[in-house]
Amino acid sequence: HKRCMEKGYEIKSIKKSDYDICIAEIYDLMTELYKGFPIFSTIDRGDFITYFDRYRHILDYRFVKMAYFNGKSIGFFIGIPDYHNHLYSINFGNLIKAVRDRGLKKRYALTYLGCLNDYKGLGFGITKDMIDELHETGSYSIGAFSHNGRVGKAFAKDLIMDTYTYGLFENIIKLE
């Protein structure tokens, strides 16, 4: 993390008031970074922002990291509080519980990480920042996806207790 600062990278947790700006930056980064994934397909920016607008109410913003270099967004890391299965059936009661409890959670699913290739060491730095946040809050992470063959799978190797292999399948549904 210190080396990232020395290189001029700025890594910070976002503020709720900056959510609209950051989600647009994350869209741009995801579109660029994830395009090489097996079944990635681009969606419209407006649709992406509309879909992820739901997240603004359930995120603990200490665990949404953005990285910048000279004011340009160059990376992100998103950790989502572990709500167990409460958010699978969204209703008013579950949403109220999620909003009320989001800062009290002790487990976070580290879900989305992306750093532009030109910024060496940034992936490690932003991961270190997230791990430091977990330690400071007395929290820990569960489940994080790593794409085989990518540099990211080597981060924090010594902290991994279990690994699982997941399959990603596509089913084309024909409407008649």
Side-chain angles (χ1 to χ4, degrees), residues 5-89:
M5 299 302 118
E6 290 170 356
K7 290 181 179 182
Y9 304 159
E10 178 187 8
I11 300 170
K12 62 182 183 177
S13 295
I14 73 168
K15 297 176 188 161
K16 188 174 185 176
S17 59
D18 294 333
Y19 184 81
D20 292 325
I21 294 165
C22 291
I23 201 66
E25 292 172 337
I26 289 169
Y27 169 82
D28 293 338
L29 290 165
M30 275 188 167
T31 301
E32 176 64 25
L33 295 166
Y34 290 8
K35 67 184 175 190
F37 278 52
I39 64 166
F40 176 81
S41 62
T42 305
I43 65 169
D44 177 73
R45 174 188 279 225
D47 292 339
F48 178 88
I49 290 170
T50 298
Y51 179 79
F52 279 95
D53 189 59
R54 308 169 201 190
Y55 283 65
R56 88 171 55 239
H57 305 292
I58 62 167
L59 290 172
D60 180 340
Y61 288 93
R62 297 172 296 179
F63 294 92
V64 180
K65 307 290 183 180
M66 290 295 298
Y68 297 93
F69 183 70
N70 293 332
K72 175 188 172 194
S73 58
I74 58 172
F76 62 92
F77 199 171
I78 301 172
I80 299 175
D82 177 18
Y83 292 108
H84 304 284
N85 292 328
H86 300 293
L87 297 180
Y88 285 112
S89 58

